[in-house]
Amino acid sequence: MSRSPVSPRSPPAVSRTRFGAGRMWPLWEWLFRIAPPSWSEYVLRHWSGRKVVIAIPWVWLGLFFLVPFLIVFKISFSEVRIAMPPYAPLIEWLGDQALQLRLNLANYTFLLTDDLYVSSYLYSIKVAAVSSLWCLAIGYPMAYAMARCTQTWRNLFLLLVMLPSFTSFLLRVYAWIGLLKNNGVINNVLMALGVINEPITMMQTDFAVYVGIVYSYLPFMILPLYNNLEKHDPALLEAAADLGARPVTTFLRITLPLSLDGIVAGLLLVFIPAVGEFVIPSLLGRTDQLMIGRVLTDEFFSNRDWPVASAVAIVMLLLLVLPIMIFQRYQTRELERRR
Amino acid sequence: MNEVQAANGRAPAPGLAREYVRVDRVTKKFGDFVAVDDVTLTIGQGEIFCLLGGSGCGKTTLLRMLAGFETPSAGAIFIDGQDMAGIPPYERPANMMFQSYALFPHMTVAGNVAFGLEQERLAKAEITRRVGEILDLVKMAPYTKRKPHQLSGGQRQRVALARALVKRPKLLLLDEPLGALDKKLREQTQFELLGIQERLGVTFVVVTHDQEEAMTLATRIGVMDRGKIVQVGTPTEIYEYPASRFVADFIGSVNMFEGRLVEDEPDHVRIESGELGGTVYVDHGISAAPEATVWTAIRPEKINIGRERPEGPDNAVRGVVKEIAYMGDISVFLVRIDSGRMVRVSRPNIVRQADDRISWDETVYLSWHASSPIVLTQ
């Protein structure tokens, strides 16, 4: 195999000669041609279709996340006012050649002074954390079993996991009321069987909220876990067994550590939306202890206090930034490992 | 063939070795598909036994049954006299080196190697000592802290070997151990494997589709085809005395001619072959019915090529050189003989530059010694 040495670098996409005689350049190329060569070459070489593809989600995020976030952020610093819109502008032209910027911090200090907000935040985080762990406890065995069965069964189970999402979320939560209420299905069956004499109160309890959240968010735990577990090389398990590890040891030392990324992804996919959950605690939950999502809607729609509602939302976002950042880090790590 | 024998450098004496593994009429079915078909086999202690065959011939399935990852549908496997039925992989005295190496990606090199010893609940110091020892042996000591994905293919292979050997198994199962390595590294590793095997006295069962690998490593080779063992023998036996057309064709290259037995004496036979366009005289007797259809197989390196017609009526045909492949150590000639068949001849390049080298389109005579043809009846 004797090959003449070839330079490993391909020639640059654009040659340095400008304005080739008699050739018609496309307009955009012509524009680049009159720019300084280093600059135009850089753009031509690097501003590829790849960049455009990457730009699409960024534009999307900018339009539908960053801009609304900035608007909410702005409102959180204004004062409430009975008007349309129901808050005072931040920047006012005073006429006397003065521009006034009023940042009202009272909305934030108010959150700290009123017990309701702090306890709602803490309660929301507790409910979300406990629900995430329950989802993990229930979802892991399911994902594990799915990853271990044959292709046909896998597809069937995947479909079954996703099937409930085909019906309305609200309907499914309402269905739980029918199951959990005092004269609901569960209590009626238990009473008919003689297990209990009087109905167990399940509605308007923490239990009902946990049931609702775990039920609704379970697919978000199963899917990333399954996605991770399914990629495990079965030869690793055989290798562990071959080296003398019993099945339990193999699980604890091989499968579990290798699925850590999936576990973190699943936990956060449940935890993050569960913190701000509004529908489930409103329909099934306690009335004496609100979750922060409920507080938010109440402030917004009942009190029509947009500035305080915005402050509540901003603080919630800040509380979630940490887990979101952890999630991001694991996502990146997962992607890097697969490369 | 001589080089290979020299490389083996050991007396193949399987009859003397103590029986260590016995595969007794083992069959494995996957649904309707028979992967391993009624295989009986004994492997002696300290042997390097190669299961050789094409893909799908059942060699890996047989190996996996030895490791305990598959259960035989019928028959029994004995390791060191103990029936392996119902004994899970983690309780067998065998360790396996996987084709993909199956290194634990989340553990370092040292972690991977220590894993097996940790299962034996040895003391920490003992584990560290043995891990260090074995990594020295496979020359991976400088890389103990690396993760598998930071290693090259050859390094991973060494770690996989170390991980299997550190448990000091009596039986080491190797699934295509050198498949992922390039040729140079493979040859080097083959000799290292032999060295390690000699030092530790472990019984090796190697699965491979690479006949060169089997030839270099094995004390005995079991050739498999469609779930059956078709021949067991030393590399020399398999190469020089193949039992069937399949084996002759699978191991090395061969020129095969169908023919008819016209003279059948105890000390010689003569075969008339239309495909060859001549007769073949073989200087030993064979057991076949007179007038039976037989196949004559002649290895390319056992055929002489020359411009003069050799004396005698047998064992010579005329042809025209169609292709010459210069491979450095040997040259391979493809000659179209008068009957129309292409015949492969290989000649060592003993002289650096011959003046009257045989060239394209030259008319040549091919001949061979009367002891060279292999006569096959199946």
Side-chain angles (χ1 to χ4, degrees):
Chain A
M1 289 293 280
S2 72
R3 287 182 96 194
S4 59
V6 184
S7 143
R9 287 194 78 95
S10 51
V14 179
S15 74
R16 281 190 174 267
T17 49
R18 301 208 219 160
F19 302 111
R23 266 189 76 178
M24 290 293 288
W25 298 104
L27 179 63
W28 59 273
E29 203 169 327
W30 189 81
L31 279 173
F32 285 129
R33 299 252 143 206
I34 51 175
S38 60
W39 186 87
S40 64
E41 275 177 29
Y42 175 85
V43 171
L44 271 188
R45 219 181 290 167
H46 297 277
W47 188 254
S48 51
R50 198 178 127 95
K51 288 255 161 132
V52 176
V53 169
I54 294 171
I56 292 171
W58 282 109
V59 170
W60 179 274
L61 275 177
L63 278 179
F64 299 109
F65 175 74
L66 193 62
V67 171
F69 171 77
L70 290 176
I71 293 172
V72 171
F73 193 62
K74 191 197 87 172
I75 295 174
S76 74
F77 286 110
S78 44
E79 277 166 17
V80 69
R81 179 193 273 186
I82 301 171
M84 195 62 204
Y87 55 89
L90 279 191
I91 302 171
E92 241 172 337
W93 179 246
L94 294 183
D96 201 15
Q97 293 184 346
L99 195 64
Q100 186 190 298
L101 173 69
R102 277 169 65 99
L103 287 183
N104 176 20
L105 299 176
N107 299 322
Y108 287 97
T109 49
F110 176 64
L111 293 188
L112 285 174
T113 50
D114 196 329
D115 241 11
L116 169 83
Y117 300 103
V118 176
S119 80
S120 298
Y121 277 124
L122 291 178
Y123 179 67
S124 299
I125 287 172
K126 187 192 109 185
V127 168
V130 172
S131 308
S132 314
L133 291 176
W134 273 109
C135 277
L136 179 65
I138 298 168
Y140 201 100
M142 289 172 78
Y144 188 84
M146 276 164 62
R148 290 279 165 284
C149 53
T150 60
Q151 195 62 48
T152 359
W153 285 104
R154 269 181 201 187
N155 291 340
L156 183 72
F157 286 137
L158 267 181
L159 189 71
L160 286 177
V161 165
M162 290 185 289
L163 204 59
S165 334
F166 293 3
T167 54
S168 153
F169 172 68
L170 209 56
L171 269 182
R172 284 181 286 139
V173 179
Y174 269 114
W176 274 108
I177 298 179
L179 290 169
L180 295 175
K181 65 184 175 186
N182 278 0
N183 59 346
V185 176
I186 294 175
N187 274 321
N188 283 350
V189 168
L190 288 179
M191 297 226 287
L193 289 175
V195 181
I196 49 173
N197 294 325
E198 48 191 81
I200 307 169
T201 312
M202 287 182 285
M203 282 298 294
Q204 268 94 46
T205 62
D206 286 351
F207 171 75
V209 177
Y210 289 140
V211 166
I213 291 180
V214 168
Y215 166 78
S216 304
Y217 288 101
L218 195 57
F220 296 99
M221 175 62 78
I222 292 179
L223 294 179
L225 272 177
Y226 164 79
N227 191 34
N228 175 296
L229 288 168
E230 182 229 26
K231 291 190 179 70
H232 288 195
D233 182 0
L236 294 182
L237 306 185
E238 285 178 352
D242 188 70
L243 293 167
R246 287 162 181 283
V248 176
T249 316
T250 304
F251 176 79
L252 291 177
R253 298 234 16 217
I254 310 296
T255 310
L256 200 59
L258 283 178
S259 59
L260 200 60
D261 292 352
I263 293 176
V264 171
L267 282 177
L268 290 172
L269 280 179
V270 175
F271 180 80
I272 291 168
V275 168
E277 180 57 48
F278 158 68
V279 174
I280 297 170
S282 304
L283 293 178
L284 306 175
R286 279 156 63 176
T287 43
D288 58 333
Q289 176 65 69
L290 300 181
M291 277 180 77
I292 202 67
R294 176 70 186 279
V295 173
L296 191 76
T297 38
D298 284 354
E299 288 296 347
F300 205 80
F301 293 108
S302 312
N303 282 358
R304 285 187 66 77
D305 191 342
W306 287 20
V308 167
S310 300
V312 168
I314 295 294
V315 170
M316 190 174 94
L317 195 77
L318 291 179
L319 285 179
L320 290 180
V321 158
L322 191 70
I324 289 172
M325 276 167 64
I326 296 173
F327 178 63
Q328 285 280 358
R329 224 185 56 133
Y330 269 88
Q331 280 289 85
T332 328
R333 215 177 72 173
E334 175 99 325
L335 285 175
E336 272 171 5
R337 216 184 52 186
R338 280 187 203 156
R339 193 167 299 154
Chain B
M1 205 43 223
N2 286 329
E3 303 90 353
V4 175
Q5 261 178 316
N8 273 336
R10 67 191 68 212
L16 301 177
R18 193 170 75 89
E19 170 194 301
Y20 192 68
V21 177
R22 185 148 59 89
V23 176
D24 191 16
R25 306 206 60 181
V26 163
T27 297
K28 176 67 184 176
K29 289 181 188 166
F30 295 107
D32 285 340
F33 176 68
V34 184
V36 173
D37 191 0
D38 197 16
V39 166
T40 298
L41 203 60
T42 53
I43 298 168
Q45 192 162 30
E47 239 193 311
I48 301 186
F49 191 92
C50 272
L51 286 167
L52 179 62
S55 63
C57 72
K59 56 189 193 300
T60 300
T61 309
L62 188 55
L63 193 77
R64 289 172 59 80
M65 285 194 283
L66 288 175
F69 301 136
E70 310 279 357
T71 353
S73 310
I77 291 172
F78 298 88
I79 297 177
D80 206 7
Q82 194 191 354
D83 190 349
M84 286 291 124
I87 295 184
Y90 47 86
E91 282 170 6
R92 295 197 180 199
N95 283 116
M96 179 145 159
M97 190 178 135
F98 290 78
Q99 183 176 9
S100 59
Y101 307 145
L103 296 178
F104 305 128
H106 58 300
M107 295 184 193
T108 60
V109 166
N112 265 283
V113 177
F115 185 86
L117 296 177
E118 285 160 11
Q119 306 315 313
E120 292 175 19
R121 309 202 182 284
L122 296 178
K124 266 230 156 62
E126 167 81 356
I127 293 178
T128 317
R129 193 180 59 77
R130 273 172 69 175
V131 169
E133 243 174 50
I134 202 81
L135 285 176
D136 268 342
L137 185 73
V138 297
K139 305 194 183 83
M140 281 299 291
Y143 305 101
T144 45
K145 295 233 159 49
R146 299 243 185 128
K147 292 274 183 74
H149 68 95
Q150 296 166 313
L151 302 175
S152 72
Q155 291 170 333
R156 282 181 213 178
Q157 187 258 351
R158 283 151 195 274
V159 177
L161 182 65
R163 190 178 69 174
L165 280 174
V166 79
K167 301 260 292 176
R168 294 182 186 154
K170 299 256 176 58
L171 176 63
L172 188 67
L173 310 167
L174 303 101
D175 189 0
E176 305 271 3
L178 311 174
L181 306 183
D182 63 55
K183 195 171 158 56
K184 262 266 178 336
L185 197 55
R186 199 162 62 204
E187 274 176 15
Q188 187 195 337
T189 316
Q190 274 168 1
F191 291 113
E192 279 173 15
L193 262 184
L194 287 177
I196 288 169
Q197 194 269 347
E198 255 163 39
R199 212 170 327 160
L200 304 179
V202 186
T203 308
F204 275 28
V205 179
V206 184
V207 153
T208 179
H209 69 277
D210 180 350
Q211 44 142 326
E212 247 180 73
E213 191 172 311
M215 291 279 192
T216 326
L217 286 176
T219 48
R220 280 193 307 152
I221 296 174
V223 183
M224 287 191 76
D225 179 32
R226 278 172 285 173
K228 284 185 185 297
I229 295 254
V230 286
Q231 189 175 0
V232 178
T234 63
T236 321
E237 281 166 4
I238 299 271
Y239 188 81
E240 302 291 354
Y241 304 98
S244 66
R245 278 185 291 156
F246 173 82
V247 177
D249 201 35
F250 189 79
I251 312 290
S253 47
V254 77
N255 299 293
M256 194 100 62
F257 305 101
E258 193 176 327
R260 202 164 44 85
L261 207 57
V262 287
E263 249 183 80
D264 186 9
E265 304 294 332
D267 66 330
H268 75 272
V269 290
R270 186 172 269 115
I271 294 153
E272 204 177 86
S273 168
E275 274 186 345
L276 179 69
T279 51
V280 179
Y281 177 87
V282 186
D283 67 357
H284 53 83
I286 60 154
S287 52
E291 296 290 308
T293 303
V294 293
W295 289 268
T296 312
I298 311 171
R299 299 279 184 198
E301 76 277 8
K302 295 190 171 59
I303 301 180
N304 289 312
I305 186 165
R307 295 192 180 87
E308 311 289 317
R309 188 187 158 84
E311 284 170 31
D314 306 308
N315 293 354
V317 283
R318 194 176 62 175
V320 178
V321 177
K322 282 297 170 194
E323 288 293 344
I324 305 172
Y326 176 74
M327 323 258 265
D329 52 347
I330 58 162
S331 287
V332 175
F333 300 84
L334 283 181
V335 178
R336 188 195 299 280
I337 55 173
D338 287 353
S339 70
R341 270 282 302 269
M342 294 297 268
V343 175
R344 193 185 164 94
V345 181
S346 63
R347 292 279 88 194
N349 295 318
I350 296 163
V351 195
R352 260 175 110 182
Q353 200 168 8
D355 292 332
D356 60 340
R357 203 172 262 165
I358 286 169
S359 178
W360 277 267
D361 293 326
E362 261 192 77
T363 302
V364 290
Y365 289 92
L366 306 181
S367 61
W368 50 89
H369 191 261
S371 66
S372 296
I374 307 154
V375 183
L376 300 163
T377 52
Q378 49 167 339

